[in-house]
Amino acid sequence: MDEKYKYIDFEIEDFLNDEFFIQWVKNPGEETNHFWLKWIENNPERRPILQKAKEIIAMIDYKERYVLSDQAYMDLYEDIVEKSHQQRADGSHFQWSGWHKTAAILFLVFSTVYGIDVLNKRNQEESQNQQVVTWLNVDNPAGQKYKFQLPDGTRVHLNAASSIEYPQNFDGEKRTVRMKGEAFFDVKADPNRPFIIEIDNSQVTVLGTSFNLKNEDDFELALVEGKVEVTDSTGGIITVLPNEMLIKRQNGEISKTDFDPLAVFGWRDQYLVFEDDSYPEVLEKLEDWFGVTIESTLKVDKNWSYSGQYHNKPLNQVLEGISISSEFQYKINNKTITISNP
């Protein structure tokens, strides 16, 4: 059928369901303008109906996600038509006049618009309640230490080869961070919002306290002041009190002990401390502390150990001090250290 004849018998409800007509009203273009202006010129008696349909469509926000489907729209419309032909109590029939048609269509239109508005508001509320949390990451390489402050005022000393993640803002009922490696925390007191550190198999919960946390092969938490609860993956809770150190070994062994503050967190004040460390432990500390790679062919006794303290000393002085007691020679080539027997 020729398009110009297709619309001759259209009523308002027909125009409201015609995509070509809706496109012209919502997004007029050269093609649609040419067709509809020519059609009105050739069918002036249909102008009032077409104009009313334009006004109704202009009021509707035709969004693909929320508008009624063609089938749903027609089902509702046909239901209204069916009820309009039911007999009245006096035996007469209700007449489906042009006015009643328009009223029914307006009912559908405004019902749809109301539904769209409610759904949009609901989506906006859900969006506000589910705001995306922006996490920041501090990744400290070997050879460096970093001191900074979290959004709530908590002070953090991050050791070398360690990292911490935290939200840009602590907006919820708790303050949660994630970490790997070693850090010293001086937590800002806030009784209403516990401070929580999430690590691999444990969760540390505090309200306001100072402590050193090391999460590498073993878990070590040394509490200076305050009170800390450590929860494991099974829900078990261990409470740590001041001057106590909680140690959880990889093999599952758990113990509490006292500790030497200088040996445990002297690193934050530039103290490099060796305390009966094995040869592999000494090499690991040197690599992390100075950000170097050590290649060693040194043969040492299986019971070899080393103790010593160095405050803010350069690498060559530390190596010199260790070599005196251990009788080895070393060579420094940029970031590579070679250690061998004399």
Side-chain angles (χ1 to χ4, degrees), residues 2-34:
D2 194 324
E3 287 292 316
K4 64 183 179 181
Y5 295 110
K6 170 184 174 180
Y7 298 103
I8 292 296
D9 297 322
F10 263 37
E11 297 296 336
I12 293 176
E13 61 270 24
D14 300 313
F15 284 115
L16 294 181
N17 281 287
D18 187 80
E19 293 184 4
F20 187 58
F21 180 78
I22 294 172
Q23 181 185 0
W24 174 55
V25 177
K26 287 295 187 180
N27 298 292
E30 183 177 349
E31 180 184 351
T32 53
N33 269 333
H34 179 270

Side-chain angles (χ1 to χ4, degrees), residues 7-138:
Y7 298 103
I8 292 296
D9 297 322
F10 263 37
E11 297 296 336
I12 293 176
E13 61 270 24
D14 300 313
F15 284 115
L16 294 181
N17 281 287
D18 187 80
E19 293 184 4
F20 187 58
F21 180 78
I22 294 172
Q23 181 185 0
W24 174 55
V25 177
K26 287 295 187 180
N27 298 292
E30 183 177 349
E31 180 184 351
T32 53
N33 269 333
H34 179 270
F35 176 87
W36 285 108
L37 293 177
K38 191 68 175 177
W39 191 89
I40 294 172
E41 180 182 338
N42 293 333
N43 302 277
E45 74 283 359
R46 307 295 292 169
R47 180 190 292 268
I49 292 176
L50 186 138
Q51 184 61 35
K52 178 60 68 176
K54 281 186 62 178
E55 291 174 1
I56 293 173
I57 290 174
M59 291 188 295
I60 305 175
D61 185 6
Y62 278 82
K63 289 186 178 179
E64 291 182 3
R65 287 184 61 188
Y66 301 124
V67 295
L68 293 174
S69 66
D70 291 343
Q71 185 59 48
Y73 180 93
M74 292 307 297
D75 288 345
L76 287 171
Y77 176 73
E78 288 171 3
D79 185 57
I80 293 174
V81 173
E82 181 182 349
K83 286 180 170 55
S84 71
H85 288 289
Q86 293 175 354
Q87 276 195 330
R88 295 185 181 181
D90 60 1
S92 62
H93 286 78
F94 180 85
Q95 296 299 312
W96 187 254
S97 66
W99 183 88
H100 292 104
K101 290 180 183 179
T102 303
I105 294 166
L106 286 173
F107 167 76
L108 291 174
V109 169
F110 285 113
S111 295
T112 303
V113 172
Y114 176 75
I116 292 171
D117 185 58
V118 170
L119 286 170
N120 283 339
K121 287 181 179 178
R122 184 182 301 169
N123 286 343
Q124 289 174 1
E125 290 175 358
E126 290 178 356
S127 177
Q128 291 173 356
N129 293 334
Q130 299 177 355
Q131 290 180 351
V132 176
V133 177
T134 301
W135 285 77
L136 305 178
N137 181 60
V138 177

Side-chain angles (χ1 to χ4, degrees), residues 208-261:
T209 187
S210 298
F211 59 94
N212 192 84
L213 177 59
K214 187 175 183 180
N215 178 41
E216 294 177 345
D217 293 336
D218 298 326
F219 172 97
E220 299 177 3
L221 190 150
L223 184 62
V224 178
E225 61 180 31
K227 183 179 178 181
V228 169
E229 289 182 345
V230 180
T231 306
D232 61 26
S233 57
T234 64
I237 299 176
I238 301 175
T239 301
V240 184
L241 300 176
N243 302 317
E244 287 185 340
M245 183 172 181
L246 173 66
I247 302 173
K248 296 169 68 176
R249 303 293 184 191
Q250 271 190 315
N251 60 10
E253 179 185 342
I254 299 176
S255 62
K256 275 187 183 181
T257 181
D258 54 7
F259 63 91
D260 176 5

